[in-house]
Amino acid sequence: MIDTPVLVVTTLGDVTADLVLEELYGRGVPAVRLDPSADFPHTANMSARIEQGAFTGDVITSTRRLDLSGVRSVYWRRPTPFSSTQEAETPEQRFAIEQSRRGYMGVLHALPGALYVNHPTRNRDAENKALQLATAARLGFTLPDTLITNVPADAAKFTAEHGTVIYKPVHRVHLACLDGRNRTVWVRTVQADELDDSIALCPHLFQACVPKVADVRLAMVGDEAFASRIDTGGDHLDWRQDQSLITCSPFPVPGPVRDAARAFLHTFGLRFGAFDFALDADGRWWFLECNPNGQWAFVDEATTRAIASALADTLQKGDTA
């Protein structure tokens, strides 16, 4: 086991993954970094075999050979997306892009005996906003009243009942604008006079606005909980909009929150999750969402190092974890 590698699937500029790789290297644990859409077929090649009931194969780079059947664990972070088939010029190029996406990624999804943090299909399931909110409510988290609708009258009624209401996308998305730049849709408050018939075009997610005094980012690594209180200097409802305004500090996790977060990971088959909460003046934690592959390297240094160490522990143990 000592020589079996950890595979880290991510883009070259992922500083969050760098912290985990640094921790693994410091322990003498071999690790291979791979960014499939960037590395294949320019600097890497792959052959996978399924013969006589066994899965074997290799990834060959310019510097090493990776035995696919010997990977102890996979840290699936944020690999570069493959190009869209819509951007390809010819049918042959579109075919190659789709085969690359399904082929390279498909093999890396299927490594036998490897522990995934997290498996991409588990991440995808857990990113379903409606499912995670329903699951969080069932597990005992405190949630703001929520409405997902494309009915303008229902949105107007919900706003009238709750006064201050916030809007967020049902799924995280970047808008491709005419100037070629991508823009993020931030969480924001909604006024009654903004609600019109355009709501009927697609589902919208509205929530009663929590009178928060701070935010909390809770990183769960298996059964271990690492929380940071996030205080914002300014009036941004969504602290992610300008992280230069935030201050992070270690924060204790109430037992019921920790237990519910553990149950959440178990329900979705996750080893890691980044939970966001609003903290009110009474100390109540309001569940907002869980990003199964969320960032954590921006919080206070002590918590960042603790999370990196816990992830390295999990990846080092592999399928015995």
Side-chain angles (χ1 to χ4, degrees), residues 34 40-41 44-49 55-61 66 68 99-100 102-108 111:
L34 194 65
F40 294 118
N45 291 292
M46 181 189 74
S47 289
R49 296 169 290 279
F55 182 107
T56 60
D58 309 288
V59 169
I60 307 295
T61 72
L66 175 66
L68 294 175
Q99 294 304 301
S100 295
R102 302 295 181 179
Y104 296 130
M105 298 301 236
V107 168
L108 296 178
L111 304 185

Side-chain angles (χ1 to χ4, degrees), residues 7 9 55 68 71-76 105-123 269-272 314-315 318-319:
L7 175 61
V9 182
F55 182 107
L68 294 175
V71 174
R72 79 170 82 181
S73 56
V74 180
Y75 186 28
W76 198 280
M105 298 301 236
V107 168
L108 296 178
H109 288 188
L111 304 185
L115 176 83
Y116 285 82
V117 183
N118 295 307
H119 196 284
T121 58
R122 300 290 190 181
N123 282 343
L270 303 173
R271 295 281 179 169
F272 172 84
T314 300
L315 294 165
D319 62 6

Side-chain angles (χ1 to χ4, degrees), residues 67-90:
D67 178 2
L68 294 175
S69 64
V71 174
R72 79 170 82 181
S73 56
V74 180
Y75 186 28
W76 198 280
R77 268 289 298 165
R78 300 191 174 186
T80 304
F82 281 86
S83 299
S84 169
T85 56
Q86 301 301 317
E87 299 171 0
E89 295 181 358
T90 67

Side-chain angles (χ1 to χ4, degrees), residues 14 21 122 132 198 211 216 229 231 236 248:
D14 184 358
L21 282 164
R122 300 290 190 181
Q132 69 169 245
S198 65
V216 178
R229 173 173 169 146
D231 292 283
H236 286 308
C248 300

Side-chain angles (χ1 to χ4, degrees), residues 13-315:
D14 184 358
V15 296
T16 299
D18 289 343
L19 293 172
V20 178
L21 282 164
E22 178 185 334
E23 185 72 26
L24 290 170
Y25 292 149
R27 301 177 182 195
V29 178
V32 177
R33 186 184 199 131
L34 194 65
D35 188 7
S37 71
D39 293 337
F40 294 118
H42 312 292
T43 61
N45 291 292
M46 181 189 74
S47 289
R49 296 169 290 279
I50 303 173
E51 300 173 333
Q52 300 179 355
F55 182 107
T56 60
D58 309 288
V59 169
I60 307 295
T61 72
S62 59
T63 59
R64 66 180 303 168
R65 169 185 173 274
L66 175 66
D67 178 2
L68 294 175
S69 64
V71 174
R72 79 170 82 181
S73 56
V74 180
Y75 186 28
W76 198 280
R77 268 289 298 165
R78 300 191 174 186
T80 304
F82 281 86
S83 299
S84 169
T85 56
Q86 301 301 317
E87 299 171 0
E89 295 181 358
T90 67
E92 291 78 10
Q93 288 174 324
R94 291 193 289 272
F95 177 85
I97 290 171
E98 190 59 26
Q99 294 304 301
S100 295
R101 179 186 294 115
R102 302 295 181 179
Y104 296 130
M105 298 301 236
V107 168
L108 296 178
H109 288 188
L111 304 185
L115 176 83
Y116 285 82
V117 183
N118 295 307
H119 196 284
T121 58
R122 300 290 190 181
N123 282 343
R124 185 178 64 245
D125 290 344
E127 287 172 347
N128 182 322
K129 192 64 66 69
L131 180 57
Q132 69 169 245
L133 289 170
T135 301
R138 177 173 58 82
L139 294 176
F141 284 111
T142 300
L143 275 71
D145 289 347
T146 301
L147 173 69
I148 300 175
T149 187
N150 76 322
V151 180
D154 289 347
K157 180 181 178 183
F158 185 81
T159 303
E161 290 173 348
H162 292 282
T164 305
V165 169
I166 64 98
Y167 164 79
K168 63 177 69 172
V170 176
H171 182 72
R172 183 178 293 105
V173 66
H174 296 286
L175 291 177
C177 299
L178 294 177
D179 62 4
R181 300 173 59 189
N182 286 333
R183 288 181 170 81
T184 300
V185 179
W186 302 107
V187 176
R188 69 177 187 88
T189 56
V190 175
Q191 305 300 321
D193 59 6
E194 295 181 87
L195 304 176
D196 57 31
D197 290 343
S198 65
I199 289 173
L201 295 175
C202 66
H204 293 64
L205 194 159
F206 300 101
Q207 285 185 323
C209 188
V210 176
K212 65 180 181 179
V213 297
D215 291 272
V216 178
R217 167 59 63 93
L218 170 64
M220 292 293 298
V221 183
D223 290 338
E224 297 185 84
F226 307 92
S228 293
R229 173 173 169 146
I230 302 173
D231 292 283
T232 305
D235 58 358
H236 286 308
L237 181 67
D238 190 337
W239 57 264
R240 299 169 302 176
Q241 192 167 353
D242 188 350
Q243 293 190 27
S244 68
L245 300 176
I246 69 173
T247 302
C248 300
S249 54
F251 202 59
V253 184
V257 172
R258 182 193 303 261
D259 293 343
R262 287 171 175 165
F264 188 98
L265 293 190
H266 178 75
T267 299
F268 284 101
L270 303 173
R271 295 281 179 169
F272 172 84
F275 295 77
D276 284 323
F277 297 87
L279 184 70
D280 69 18
D282 295 325
R284 186 182 297 111
W285 291 42
W286 293 81
F287 177 95
L288 301 179
E289 65 178 357
C290 176
N291 185 337
N293 201 6
Q295 304 285 34
W296 46 267
F298 66 91
V299 300
D300 56 277
E301 183 175 358
T303 305
T304 294
R305 291 295 176 186
I307 297 170
S309 179
L311 284 167
D313 287 343
T314 300
L315 294 165

